[in-house]
Amino acid sequence: MTDRKQDNGKRVVVIGGGVIGCLTALYLHRLGASPVILEKGSAGHEASWAGAGILCPIHPWLYQDSFTHLIEDSLALYPELSNMLLEMTGISVQWRTTGLLIPFFEDDRIHHHDNALAWSERFGWPVERLDTAQTQAHEPTISAQVQGALLWPEVGQVRNPRLLAAARKALEICGVPIREQAEVTGLNENAQGEVISVTLANGETIAADAVLLAAGSWSGELGSKIGVSLPVEPVKGQIVLLKDKPGRVNHIIKHDDAYMVPRVDGHILVGASMERVGFKSGTTAAVINQLLEATYRITPGLKDAQIVQQWMGFRPGSPDGMPYLGPVEGHPGLWVASGHYRNGVALAPGTADLMSRWIMGEAPHFDLSDFRVNRPAIDKAKVGFPVV
Ligand SMILES: Cc1cc2nc3c(=O)[nH]c(=O)nc-3n(C[C@H](O)[C@H](O)[C@H](O)COP(=O)(O)OP(=O)(O)OC[C@H]3O[C@@H](n4cnc5c(N)ncnc54)[C@H](O)[C@@H]3O)c2cc1C
């Protein structure tokens, strides 16, 4: 044993240095715990780096209502989080409100209009109905075929790499250890079935008062080592980055096969594929071309935009698209925050706040049974899980 429990606070081993692990560790530190992050590669370089940073579920009306409550709690924390990170680290996560626009075309494959309006009314999310002329006035590059749109003016976005860089710097300032190239290969239980330590690939054992499994798409594999069933699978997403003059796209635009996220400097992030190909990494010409074709159909005015970069990441996909949150029944000491699928950045501050308090002994203030680890699985197709 090369690492000992510390005396000055609950020792929490956080497995995974993505946005969920990093922010939860930061919030745990604020509550007086002594977290340590164990990361198999480099912290903040998997899904959390790759994501588009849209701070709203893609189609929230497809999920259970409890999911919207979780999202709302999380989004409410973004202003405070981004200010705290800016003050501590000097890094702006570029949290800003650009609004989300869903345009409608005659040949739409999925008709979201009525469900979207009903959901917005039920939860009090401001939404505007735009006709063709108004849509074109909002988005000058959009197709002449557009038949109107719905606009949620209060939807925001962040830049993921900045969020991760800021979280990392804040952790360093707080003295929270981030151990990289430290792959956890085992979860160890005592005779009572309590999880009391983890083992690393190099054979080292690290003791813990609590272990948080926040290993994104890899969480299921680790859980299975002690018989915990966590059906999280990677759903690969490819993204292509365009560059045009600032103002060519003003809102996040989402349609059937692509979304566009405008950055303040004229970059436009186009995403994202949904692929069930296991952990097969790398971008492919076929998928990037599909994304571009979809983009040019929605916003032909972007045909001249420069293609700057492309990348991919593995979304941690739970069957119902909702995260697993909380203690693991039958394995005291083990906690899970994983399976955030397409919404982990939006859900990150809420997850971190909730999980840190819960691990430190404060019961959650609303019913989280829809997010429990052993909930029944539902039909994946409902939340847009791609058919293999
Ligand atoms: C293309 C794309 C677009 C997206 N767009 C959005 C969006 O617009 N808005 C939004 O809210 N969400 C979006 N998401 C989803 C979001 O990025 C994820 O839900 C979120 O990043 C998950 O965070 P995480 O920390 O659970 O996982 P990750 O970021 O994958 O982090 C998990 C970490 O655990 C580490 N790890 C794994 N196994 C081990 C082990 N055995 N030992 C130690 N470390 C381990 C990994 O190396 C990794 O660093 C998108 C995702 C993708 C891929």
Side-chain angles (χ1 to χ4, degrees), residues 14-22 38-58 71 78 160 164 179 182-185 200 213-219 221-222 235-239 259 261 269 271-273 311-316 337-348:
V14 177
I15 307 174
V19 70
I20 301 298
C22 286
L38 304 177
E39 164 55 52
K40 74 176 168 61
S42 304
H45 276 80
E46 292 290 349
S48 303
W49 177 89
I54 303 169
L55 297 182
C56 173
I58 298 293
I71 283 276
Y78 254 103
N160 298 23
L164 270 297
R179 292 191 52 182
E183 181 180 1
V184 175
T185 52
L200 298 184
L213 185 49
S217 293
W218 297 264
S219 296
E221 198 183 310
L222 257 182
V235 179
K236 177 173 167 180
Q238 300 190 37
I239 283 191
Y259 55 69
V261 184
L269 192 148
S273 64
W311 64 82
M312 51 75 53
F314 297 114
R315 304 174 186 89
S338 193
H340 292 71
Y341 192 39
R342 306 187 80 175
N343 307 298
V345 177
L347 286 169

Side-chain angles (χ1 to χ4, degrees), residues 68-69 72 116-127 152-154:
T68 299
H69 293 304
E72 286 178 333
L117 273 184
W119 173 86
S120 304
E121 259 169 47
R122 196 158 75 253
F123 290 101
W125 281 47
V127 60
W152 290 264
E154 293 182 4

Side-chain angles (χ1 to χ4, degrees), residues 103-362:
F104 300 106
F105 296 89
E106 194 170 6
D107 58 350
D108 280 349
R109 210 174 56 242
I110 309 163
H111 297 280
H112 287 290
H113 184 274
D114 295 351
N115 289 337
L117 273 184
W119 173 86
S120 304
E121 259 169 47
R122 196 158 75 253
F123 290 101
W125 281 47
V127 60
E128 295 168 19
R129 296 168 213 226
L130 308 181
D131 62 21
T132 300
Q134 289 167 325
T135 307
Q136 287 171 332
H138 276 84
E139 288 301 344
T141 58
I142 210 155
S143 163
Q145 308 300 318
V146 74
Q147 298 191 325
L150 289 177
L151 169 63
W152 290 264
E154 293 182 4
V155 169
Q157 57 162 285
V158 288
R159 287 179 89 149
N160 298 23
R162 287 169 164 267
L163 175 62
L164 270 297
R168 186 193 179 108
K169 196 164 173 193
L171 286 161
E172 284 166 4
I173 290 166
C174 294
V176 174
I178 306 172
R179 292 191 52 182
E180 299 185 307
Q181 314 306 326
E183 181 180 1
V184 175
T185 52
L187 304 168
N188 308 314
E189 296 173 294
N190 64 13
Q192 289 74 46
E194 294 164 336
V195 175
I196 49 159
S197 64
V198 302
T199 302
L200 298 184
N202 67 4
E204 190 181 343
T205 301
I206 299 180
D209 299 312
V211 173
L212 175 64
L213 185 49
S217 293
W218 297 264
S219 296
E221 198 183 310
L222 257 182
S224 69
K225 298 202 172 192
I226 55 165
V228 175
S229 166
L230 205 59
V232 177
E233 68 167 289
V235 179
K236 177 173 167 180
Q238 300 190 37
I239 283 191
V240 54
L241 185 68
L242 306 180
K243 179 86 192 333
D244 208 323
K245 289 193 292 285
R248 297 284 284 156
V249 174
N250 299 310
H251 308 83
I252 300 162
I253 302 178
K254 165 70 188 140
H255 192 248
D256 282 352
D257 298 316
Y259 55 69
M260 283 139 261
V261 184
R263 303 305 195 200
V264 76
D265 55 6
H267 281 107
I268 302 157
L269 192 148
V270 175
S273 64
M274 300 279 286
E275 302 167 64
R276 283 171 80 189
V277 292
F279 288 106
K280 193 172 175 189
S281 61
T283 55
T284 59
V287 168
I288 296 298
N289 285 340
Q290 277 169 18
L291 288 172
L292 290 172
E293 273 168 32
T295 304
Y296 300 150
R297 210 172 67 79
I298 304 161
T299 46
L302 288 183
K303 277 190 179 148
D304 293 334
Q306 190 191 342
I307 298 172
V308 179
Q309 206 185 334
Q310 45 188 273
W311 64 82
M312 51 75 53
F314 297 114
R315 304 174 186 89
S318 64
D320 52 13
M322 309 212 299
Y324 293 102
L325 300 174
V328 182
E329 208 180 303
H331 301 273
L334 181 62
W335 300 75
V336 170
S338 193
H340 292 71
Y341 192 39
R342 306 187 80 175
N343 307 298
V345 177
L347 286 169
T351 299
D353 185 59
L354 174 87
M355 291 305 303
S356 58
R357 290 175 193 275
W358 208 349
I359 291 169
M360 293 302 279
E362 190 182 318

